[in-house]
Amino acid sequence: MAHHKADASKLLDDRGYGGRLIRGQNPALLFETGVRNRITQSYYWKEQCFGLNEATLCDRAAQIKFIGGTTGVNGKPTPFLCLAFKLIQLVPDKSVIFEYLNFEDDGEESDNEGDKAERNGEGEGDEDGDNGIMNGGRVQDPEAAGKRGAFKYLRALAAFYIRLAWEPVEIYNTLEPLLSDYRKLKRKTKEGYAMTYMDQFVDDLLTKERVCATSLWRMPPRSQLEDLDLLDVRESPLQGEVDAMDEDNGEEVEVVESESD
Amino acid sequence: MSNRQGAYGGTNGGDTSFRKTWDREEYAARAAEHERKQKEEGKARYEAAASGKKYRRRASTPPDARETEARSHRLDVASMVGKTMLVPQGAGVGKRGKGAGFYCEACDLTFKDNLQYVEHLNNRQHLVATGQTGEVTRATAEEVHQRLLWLKRKKDEESKGEVLDLDSRLKLNKEREDQEREEKRRKRNEKRRKTKDGLGHQEIKLENDGIIDSSTHWVS
């Protein structure tokens, strides 16, 4: 039975830290000092994040209503950021993170498959169902049905954690399927709110340097990993449409040419 | 020996049963335990020294200590807002004892604001006083899955009562309002019946209804 501390005293102890490491470092260093201090001084952290473990963290994550970094003139951290810091403290096992990311209700499994079958029957829809399995092991999740990751903010939280804590190849492999999750997310900005989408958030995580008041560590770009044969070339779910558009354009061009002739 | 005469003619020194009798076995066991502990500590000390570390004796964990758990609900900090309570004289000095503010029963301390209070609830002193270890068990993926299933069920049940159709929502609202109005009418009628002759409470009209208007002249 492994234990961890109820509060972050061990994590913030920069000389005597003996817990799990992330890329050979104290995980707390993934957050900037100022943000770290503001998180540990915030009331939400002290009240709601005390004594959480991997399971009870789900309760809090199910309650959060928006993502975001720090807000207001004082840079008050959002609950999302506090919970991300808690995850950084816990450093959960990979299986737990996958559970957060791809939680599926067992009871509705049959329902889900029924949906798939229906969509397959429609003809065009089989792109979603079959392609996922054919796509070299990388399973495209049935996002249109919204069955996976029932708690979208928990899913966003897990994605954020994965970007911070895991290795580049794993990051690309686990986060890219989320690019077909088109659910809305509420994002708290410095003042006020903005709307974003899950796929947009994940894209930000993969391409931007700063997300949610945290500078993300520099990850090698996808093309580099492809050159090293660590990753397969990504096939966009929109590839079919893009090809079709290209064909259409080609025809048009030809028509134009013939007219000019 | 037994028939030896005492100085005052008694048979012997009197009743000596008040003296403590020593359970030799128990004390032998205690001594052995003590010796074993000392030996163990000596060994640990030696090993620490051999590996170039300083030995520190750890206080033993009480056997009935339980694990710290996450708060199951939010701290109730607003329940006493606007209330008056009697506070013993001299309670306002320091944090000791029960005074005005957030009171911690286990530690007998009072805090002036909720931030201090929650900090106290998290700190070592409070955890020890309430018999907690300050450690939390890691959860497995299976436990996490079960938790999420439970949360999903709860969410579904809560959303079952919600109706998104505008017409039905308006209807529900109207019903609720009607109910409230009926309740009010019932109370009014009850009140009227209680008074003499069923006349209801006579309203006593004050001149100007207590409002100072410009026609009132003040005599100074």
Side-chain angles (χ1 to χ4, degrees):
Chain A
M1 280 275 226
H3 289 82
H4 60 80
K5 283 273 165 206
D7 57 0
S9 56
K10 266 272 160 62
L11 177 73
L12 298 170
D13 181 359
D14 52 355
R15 294 193 295 171
Y17 178 73
R20 299 186 183 183
L21 301 174
I22 290 177
R23 286 187 296 281
Q25 243 189 348
N26 182 345
L29 298 177
L30 290 169
F31 279 60
E32 289 157 14
T33 319
V35 175
R36 211 159 59 213
N37 291 343
R38 262 173 257 147
I39 289 172
T40 50
Q41 282 161 16
S42 74
Y43 187 68
Y44 184 84
W45 173 263
K46 284 173 183 167
E47 190 205 351
Q48 295 286 294
C49 298
F50 180 76
L52 291 186
N53 70 2
E54 288 88 337
T56 43
L57 187 128
C58 299
D59 299 8
R60 307 285 191 260
Q63 279 168 355
I64 56 177
K65 294 273 182 278
F66 49 82
I67 61 172
T70 53
T71 58
V73 271
N74 298 326
K76 188 184 168 202
T78 56
F80 178 82
L81 202 64
C82 292
L83 288 178
F85 192 61
K86 193 73 196 183
L87 273 182
I88 289 289
Q89 186 204 333
L90 298 178
V91 195
D93 298 328
K94 289 231 162 91
S95 53
V96 172
I97 294 295
F98 274 121
E99 195 61 54
Y100 289 163
L101 199 70
N102 296 329
F103 164 69
E104 237 169 320
D105 203 340
D106 298 317
E108 288 178 26
E109 201 109 296
S110 54
D111 214 278
N112 198 358
E113 275 164 19
D115 274 8
K116 259 189 206 166
E118 258 176 49
R119 265 186 286 141
N120 286 351
E122 280 170 14
E124 278 210 357
D126 61 355
E127 243 183 39
D128 251 38
D130 288 346
N131 238 4
I133 302 153
M134 281 159 70
N135 238 354
R138 202 204 302 151
V139 180
Q140 213 106 43
D141 39 9
E143 299 309 340
K147 298 286 184 196
R148 268 204 174 167
F151 301 98
K152 55 183 178 180
Y153 291 103
L154 178 62
R155 191 172 218 204
L157 188 67
F160 186 60
Y161 172 79
I162 288 170
R163 173 64 179 85
L164 286 175
W166 287 11
E167 297 303 322
V169 177
E170 294 168 327
I171 292 173
Y172 281 114
N173 282 338
T174 44
L175 291 192
E176 272 170 358
L178 265 68
L179 288 172
S180 53
D181 185 347
Y182 307 125
R183 277 178 291 182
K184 288 174 190 169
L185 291 178
K186 193 172 173 186
R187 188 165 63 87
K188 193 158 189 181
T189 55
K190 189 134 194 175
E191 61 273 318
Y193 294 93
M195 191 176 71
T196 177
Y197 299 87
M198 184 73 85
D199 55 329
Q200 199 177 349
F201 178 64
V202 171
D203 188 58
D204 286 352
L205 286 178
L206 291 177
T207 52
K208 283 196 178 165
E209 287 180 353
R210 220 179 138 72
V211 174
C212 290
T214 317
S215 23
L216 307 170
W217 62 282
R218 191 172 285 278
M219 187 170 63
R222 196 184 159 86
S223 54
Q224 207 173 326
L225 294 173
E226 279 171 11
D227 290 347
L228 290 169
D229 281 337
L230 294 170
L231 278 178
D232 299 333
V233 178
R234 175 174 144 76
E235 201 170 310
S236 163
L238 294 176
Q239 195 58 48
E241 281 181 43
V242 171
D243 287 345
M245 268 167 66
D246 282 350
E247 273 173 28
D248 286 355
N249 283 347
E251 277 168 23
E252 270 174 38
V253 169
E254 275 173 25
V255 169
V256 170
E257 275 171 3
S258 63
E259 273 175 1
S260 64
D261 279 340
Chain B
M1 287 287 261
S2 61
N3 54 3
R4 194 157 81 181
Q5 289 271 313
Y8 299 102
T11 50
N12 53 16
D15 189 14
T16 57
S17 65
F18 63 89
R19 289 208 177 135
K20 189 170 170 81
T21 49
W22 300 92
D23 185 349
R24 286 175 167 274
E25 270 95 57
E26 191 200 332
Y27 280 87
R30 272 203 208 181
E33 175 74 4
H34 181 70
E35 212 157 273
R36 189 186 61 75
K37 265 191 188 163
Q38 254 186 343
K39 224 175 221 173
E40 235 169 51
E41 196 190 314
K43 203 178 166 197
R45 223 178 255 282
Y46 174 77
E47 274 168 6
S51 60
K53 280 179 190 161
K54 193 170 169 11
Y55 173 78
R56 282 192 186 82
R57 196 191 312 175
R58 239 184 109 254
S60 58
T61 315
D64 59 339
R66 65 194 160 79
E67 271 166 20
T68 305
E69 278 174 8
R71 272 180 254 289
S72 54
H73 44 81
R74 305 217 56 169
L75 277 186
D76 186 17
V77 290
S79 66
M80 298 300 277
V81 169
K83 291 204 177 145
T84 315
M85 59 189 260
L86 287 175
V87 171
Q89 200 181 17
V93 188
K95 288 177 181 143
R96 259 293 124 229
K98 185 162 182 155
F102 300 99
Y103 179 62
C104 172
E105 199 104 11
C107 310
D108 191 30
L109 293 171
T110 306
F111 299 91
K112 296 295 173 201
D113 60 58
N114 58 349
L115 205 63
Q116 271 186 45
Y117 181 55
V118 76
E119 249 171 38
H120 165 74
L121 292 186
N122 291 352
N123 77 8
R124 192 89 201 119
Q125 176 199 7
H126 178 79
L127 295 180
V128 168
T130 50
Q132 299 182 57
T133 56
E135 283 182 341
V136 187
T137 320
R138 280 186 175 278
T140 59
E142 182 51 34
E143 280 167 359
V144 169
H145 185 71
Q146 290 307 323
R147 191 86 183 178
L148 282 170
L149 280 180
W150 174 73
L151 282 168
K152 180 88 196 307
R153 268 204 308 276
K154 211 171 77 166
K155 197 174 129 192
D156 288 346
E157 265 167 35
E158 275 169 13
S159 64
K160 212 178 268 177
E162 271 176 37
V163 195
L164 292 173
D165 184 22
L166 184 64
D167 281 341
S168 47
R169 258 167 69 185
L170 281 173
K171 206 174 139 195
L172 272 177
N173 256 358
K174 196 167 177 298
E175 271 173 23
R176 205 176 49 230
E177 270 176 19
D178 280 348
Q179 225 169 7
E180 275 171 19
R181 212 168 291 146
E182 185 60 35
E183 181 72 9
K184 265 186 191 168
R185 191 176 299 136
R186 198 181 55 77
K187 268 189 186 167
R188 213 183 309 138
N189 283 341
E190 227 166 61
K191 232 178 185 180
R192 194 174 296 155
R193 248 174 258 126
K194 268 183 201 163
T195 54
K196 220 165 78 180
D197 306 332
L199 285 169
H201 291 286
Q202 294 277 329
E203 267 190 58
I204 302 156
K205 270 250 175 199
L206 274 175
E207 221 165 303
N208 289 339
D209 264 359
I211 300 164
I212 301 164
D213 64 351
S214 52
S215 62
T216 318
H217 294 285
W218 294 97
V219 184
S220 57

